[in-house]
Amino acid sequence: MSVHVLGVRHHGPGSARAVRAELERLRPDAILIEGPPEADPLIPLAPELEPPVALLAHVPGDAANAAFWPFAGFSPEWQAILYGTSAGVPVRFCDLPAAHSLAGRTDEEVSELRADPIGSLAAAAGYDDPERWWEDVVEHRGDTPFEVIAEAMAAVREGYEPDEREARREAHMRKTLRVALKQGYGRIAVVCGAWHVPALAGPLPPATVDTALLRGLPKVKAELTWVPWTYGRLASWSGYGAGITSPGWYHHLFTAPDRPVERWLAEAAAVLRDEGLAVSSAHVIESVRLAGSLAALRGRPLAGLSEVTEAARAVLCEGDDLAVELIQRRMVVGDRLGHVSDGTPMVPLQRDLREQQRRLKLKPEALDREIDLDLRKPLDLERSHLLHRLRLLGVGWGTPGQARGKGTFRETWTLQWRPEHDLALIEHAALGTTVRAATAQRARDLAGAPGAALADLTSLVEQCLLADLSEALPEVLAALSAKAALDTDVTHLMAALPAMVRAHRYGDVRGTSAGGLAVIVRSMLERICVGLPVAVTGLDDDAAADLLKHVDAVHAAVALLTDPPPPVETASPAPDGRSAPSDGGAPAGEGVSAEGGEAGAAPRSRWLVTLRGICDRQDLHGLIEGRLTRILLDSGELQDAGDRMSRAMSRGQTPARAAGWVEGFLAGGGLLLVHDARLLALVDDWIGGLSGDQFTDVLPLLRRTFGSFAVPERRAIGERVRSAGRVEVEGEQDVNERRAAAAVTTVLAILGKAGGFGQADGLRKTEGLGRAGG
């Protein structure tokens, strides 16, 4: 009987080639590999997998307690598995079972770092970089001197006492080795990290010693499976053995053992050409020469990654760091994503997702990929539903972005698959066997969670509509209705309303069932209208600014609630001589409910009536009063904005309050000052009348206000102020309101201003303000 211990560096291409060659030479009748023994039944699946892949061990019901053992095509352990399965040789894992390692794992053990044995050998050889030493001694050789590595590791470990965790791991490796020997295998090959070779080679300690070390270990139920891995994760992972910073480079060394430098730099040139950079064959030839010269100067047997990178930077990239970063991302790390076969153990949720990915033609990829969805197309709509459902499950495969165009039927997503997504699917496997069922149950659980905030529930309603989860929506709406009924903070209601309105609009536009949503929206808006007059009292500057954000958000949301049109009638003069509305707008206080029935004022009208009542009060913060005045002016609800501005900036007001009023009033944009000479004159006169100290006090507010205007707006305002001395403010003009009504109605219809200025009340002669409002 003979035991051959092959010490390797995890994920080392030179070690992988040497292990494969050594196994073919030895022709063992059993192979033991460092790894969790619960994965032994998964080994026969290896030939069907496409690396990089990883063994995933997790505790059912506690998916956060999990561990990965990644494998690349250039991993020595992977090559040993492939040799064994192809040659019909039994292959087993021999490390400490995952049931014990997951049960006894602590944060201290995870973060613990032992002395680096490769670093010690590199330092003894005069290298300051362990990676460079390993490449020169092992990776760039045609073979791996396993005996020499064993002797070197024995010297490094001389006098070393392993910690308890490591001692138990090595005890279990020896236990598995003894079992194999007892079963009669005459030639056994053990593939493990080079560090463990001294513990397994030579005479083994008595079995009773190892049995005592392994007695009484904590244990949990662990389940294992294969999952896809990526080179990006392999570069950042520090679990199995060690992470490597250049998996793409190692993959190249393994797959191109002849002329690796020439092939690498030629591929780098192709990558740069794909990005539109001019790289010729002469560039490639010169970069190969430079890499070889650098290696010779540094005494290296072959140019390594550092030499080819410097050559590419100097010749191919001409010193451009962005081009070098492109090579680093595409080639040094790489974008390879592994694949597991259909026969791999999966939870039903994973299988359902895989089927949907195939049906919807959404292939998981490691690199970011942007897709545009047209939701009028059934295929794209189903894709959108799937991506929104996965986001609700915590699987962030897709990240929504800013859709191109202004339509509501388009979505833009950035897709990137990460190995952790499989873990998230396993974690939520108990919620359902399909993505839709699991997401619906997840929504119900979130809705019923104690302490769920009102804003969270409104966001959940929106997510349910986006994900087309009609089966979960009634329970979520019920939870929302109950929460809204008990929440007395009007700011909470104001923060929650926009999402509810968006959800309502989504249901209307996309045809998604959202029964009862309109009732909740109308109820929330009514409570906001009742509570807002109290909420605006006694605010300081910060509180006023915060409340104003909510007011603007609610105002924008209310604009999405379409007031139902009245019966179609021909426009005719009203009894008071004014033009009657003809575009479906309803006078304040005479609208209908959002569901079309007679239920008091329509949403927009009810909201504007509330703002008008608040705006007439004398105890408002200047910022609030100014902004409400502007909102009402833009909505056609005020004809005395000039008088209000004049009062706000009169000498009876403090400069700070006046500046706040101006800031709130002009927050909607500066074009109003360009087109209304009287308002511009009022602001100009007020600023000109301030004393030096007063001007200094209000300057930050003014600078913030005018700094928010677009450059053309500021330029136009400056030109109007400069010419103010030469241009007189336009006086009043006699206007035939009856004759102008039809033209005003047409213009407002073109501008889309339902119920806009002048529609209900005709044209008023208010010192040019009507012309600015129109």
Side-chain angles (χ1 to χ4, degrees):
M1 292 186 179
S2 60
V3 177
H4 303 270
V5 182
L6 309 182
V8 301
R9 181 185 186 227
H10 299 297
H11 315 307
S15 295
R17 282 196 301 269
V19 164
R20 188 66 181 252
E22 186 70 4
L23 291 176
E24 291 174 352
R25 185 188 70 83
L26 291 173
R27 296 189 178 278
D29 49 13
I31 301 174
L32 304 182
I33 299 175
E34 182 181 340
E38 295 99 329
D40 287 350
L42 302 176
I43 291 177
L45 297 173
E48 305 173 9
L49 310 183
E50 180 183 338
V53 293
L55 284 171
L56 164 62
H58 66 96
V59 178
D62 184 15
N65 188 8
F68 295 94
W69 286 263
F71 298 84
F74 50 81
S75 299
E77 299 85 352
W78 184 255
Q79 290 301 314
I81 291 174
L82 293 184
Y83 170 82
T85 53
S86 63
V89 177
V91 180
R92 300 175 184 173
F93 288 110
C94 61
D95 206 343
L96 191 67
H100 297 311
S101 60
L102 293 179
R105 189 173 61 171
T106 64
D107 293 340
E108 291 75 12
E109 290 174 341
V110 172
S111 61
E112 181 181 324
L113 296 176
R114 64 163 179 262
D116 179 15
I118 305 300
S120 301
L121 292 175
Y127 283 76
D128 58 357
D129 184 358
E131 299 288 334
R132 182 188 293 270
W133 176 83
W134 186 268
E135 280 193 357
D136 288 351
V137 175
V138 179
E139 305 301 344
H140 292 165
R141 293 173 56 96
D143 59 346
T144 297
F146 292 110
E147 296 80 4
V148 175
I149 290 177
E151 292 178 7
M153 289 300 158
V156 172
R157 286 186 57 146
E158 187 175 351
Y160 170 78
E161 290 295 333
D163 58 35
E164 186 178 42
R165 176 173 175 270
E166 187 169 308
R168 287 172 173 172
R169 290 184 60 203
E170 293 177 344
H172 196 277
M173 294 180 190
R174 291 190 293 266
K175 178 182 178 181
T176 307
L177 179 57
R178 291 190 190 96
V179 171
L181 291 170
K182 188 175 181 180
Q183 291 174 343
Y185 293 109
R187 188 180 294 109
I188 301 174
V190 181
V191 181
C192 62
W195 176 256
H196 301 295
V197 172
L200 303 177
L204 300 181
T208 55
V209 175
D210 291 338
T211 302
L213 280 173
L214 298 174
R215 184 180 295 116
L217 292 180
K219 187 176 182 179
V220 294
K221 181 182 178 182
E223 294 183 358
L224 280 81
T225 188
W226 291 107
V227 295
W229 204 250
T230 68
Y231 276 177
R233 295 297 294 159
L234 195 63
S236 62
W237 198 254
S238 59
Y240 183 38
I244 55 175
T245 58
S246 50
W249 168 250
Y250 279 1
H251 175 88
H252 174 76
L253 290 179
F254 183 72
T255 56
D258 63 312
R259 305 176 70 85
V261 174
E262 291 84 346
R263 294 178 185 275
W264 176 267
L265 290 171
E267 186 177 349
V271 168
L272 296 176
R273 290 192 197 105
D274 290 342
E275 295 298 322
L277 301 177
V279 181
S280 66
S281 299
H283 283 87
V284 178
I285 295 171
E286 185 58 33
S287 62
V288 170
R289 290 174 178 169
L290 178 56
S293 299
L294 290 172
L297 286 173
R298 295 167 180 173
R300 305 196 66 182
L302 182 70
L305 179 59
S306 60
E307 285 75 29
V308 296
T309 299
E310 291 177 33
R313 181 191 302 274
V315 182
L316 302 184
C317 304
E318 299 180 347
D320 186 354
D321 288 339
L322 290 178
V324 176
E325 175 61 28
L326 178 64
I327 295 175
Q328 170 74 21
R329 186 173 65 254
R330 294 275 185 87
M331 295 181 60
V332 177
V333 175
D335 57 358
R336 186 177 295 268
L337 173 66
H339 178 75
V340 298
S341 64
D342 291 338
T344 304
M346 299 181 188
V347 297
L349 193 57
Q350 289 175 291
R351 293 195 179 278
D352 180 66
L353 176 58
R354 173 172 286 210
E355 290 301 319
Q356 292 198 55
Q357 288 171 336
R358 290 173 179 167
R359 182 174 60 83
L360 300 178
K361 301 177 182 178
L362 287 176
K363 181 181 178 182
E365 296 176 345
L367 277 185
D368 288 352
R369 178 167 72 97
E370 187 174 283
I371 61 172
D372 294 316
L373 302 181
D374 184 345
L375 303 183
R376 294 168 293 186
K377 300 178 180 179
L379 178 63
D380 284 356
L381 183 59
E382 286 192 66
R383 288 172 171 176
S384 172
H385 290 159
L386 175 62
L387 294 173
H388 280 295
R389 289 168 187 167
L390 291 175
R391 280 176 59 81
L392 188 52
L393 273 180
V395 180
W397 178 26
T399 303
Q402 184 65 40
R404 296 181 177 90
K406 299 181 179 179
T408 58
F409 295 97
R410 293 192 176 277
E411 288 181 349
T412 297
W413 292 83
T414 300
L415 306 184
Q416 183 191 35
W417 186 265
R418 297 194 301 272
E420 293 86 347
H421 297 335
D422 281 296
L423 186 59
L425 291 170
I426 293 173
E427 183 179 0
H428 293 101
L431 296 177
T433 58
T434 66
V435 173
R436 176 165 190 152
T439 309
Q441 186 58 47
R442 172 70 172 164
R444 296 186 189 99
D445 292 346
L446 291 175
L454 183 61
D456 295 336
L457 291 174
T458 55
S459 176
L460 184 59
V461 170
E462 189 175 16
Q463 293 176 66
C464 286
L465 288 170
L466 292 171
D468 190 26
L469 298 176
S470 56
E471 61 270 41
L473 194 57
E475 294 182 38
V476 178
L477 288 175
L480 172 64
S481 180
K483 186 69 175 180
L486 297 176
D487 201 322
T488 59
D489 192 331
V490 69
T491 59
H492 291 173
L493 296 171
M494 297 177 76
L497 184 69
M500 291 296 297
V501 173
R502 287 194 303 269
H504 182 270
R505 182 170 182 253
Y506 181 93
D508 289 344
V509 174
R510 316 290 175 90
T512 307
S513 175
L517 191 57
V519 176
I520 298 177
V521 169
R522 190 174 64 252
S523 174
M524 291 176 64
L525 179 61
E526 182 63 29
R527 295 183 60 200
I528 290 171
C529 292
V530 171
L532 185 58
V534 178
V536 298
T537 304
L539 301 179
D540 59 17
D541 293 344
D542 293 337
D546 290 339
L547 182 62
L548 206 56
K549 295 176 183 177
H550 292 304
V551 170
D552 285 336
V554 171
H555 184 66
V558 170
L560 300 178
L561 294 175
T562 304
D563 291 351
V568 178
E569 296 179 358
T570 303
S572 59
D576 59 358
R578 296 180 296 167
S579 176
S582 60
D583 68 341
E590 298 178 7
V592 293
S593 71
E595 295 196 315
E598 294 292 342
R604 181 176 179 276
S605 301
R606 178 70 175 94
W607 170 247
L608 293 178
V609 167
T610 300
L611 298 187
R612 179 62 185 265
I614 296 174
C615 191
D616 291 336
R617 288 167 42 178
Q618 303 298 317
D619 60 341
L620 295 180
H621 190 282
L623 184 67
I624 298 290
E625 183 181 348
R627 184 69 188 122
L628 296 186
T629 302
R630 178 61 182 273
I631 290 175
L632 292 169
L633 174 64
D634 291 345
S635 301
E637 297 294 320
L638 285 181
Q639 288 75 43
D640 59 346
D643 296 336
R644 291 172 181 266
M645 176 180 279
S646 179
R647 289 195 300 269
M649 295 187 297
S650 65
R651 294 187 177 277
Q653 304 290 345
T654 63
R657 188 185 189 284
W661 197 99
V662 172
E663 180 183 5
F665 184 79
L666 298 180
L671 283 178
L672 189 61
L673 295 182
V674 177
H675 296 293
D676 195 303
R678 184 188 178 218
L679 296 182
L680 179 60
L682 287 171
V683 175
D684 187 29
D685 291 344
W686 171 70
I687 295 176
L690 295 174
S691 66
D693 292 340
Q694 291 174 333
F695 180 76
T696 302
D697 291 340
V698 301
L699 181 59
L701 289 175
L702 295 175
R703 188 171 284 169
R704 181 172 62 198
T705 300
F706 285 87
S708 64
F709 297 164
V711 173
E713 291 180 356
R714 296 201 300 268
R715 183 183 300 114
I717 292 173
E719 291 174 353
R720 292 299 301 268
V721 171
R722 183 176 58 186
S723 61
R726 300 192 303 269
V727 181
E728 296 181 1
V729 176
E730 297 179 78
E732 297 183 358
Q733 300 178 4
D734 292 332
V735 178
N736 187 318
E737 297 182 8
R738 185 183 298 275
R739 294 178 59 187
V744 171
T745 301
T746 301
V747 171
L748 290 174
I750 293 173
L751 295 176
K753 289 180 173 289
F757 175 79
Q759 183 182 2
D761 297 319
L763 298 176
R764 291 184 177 273
K765 299 177 288 182
T766 54
E767 304 169 332
L769 184 58
R771 291 184 296 278

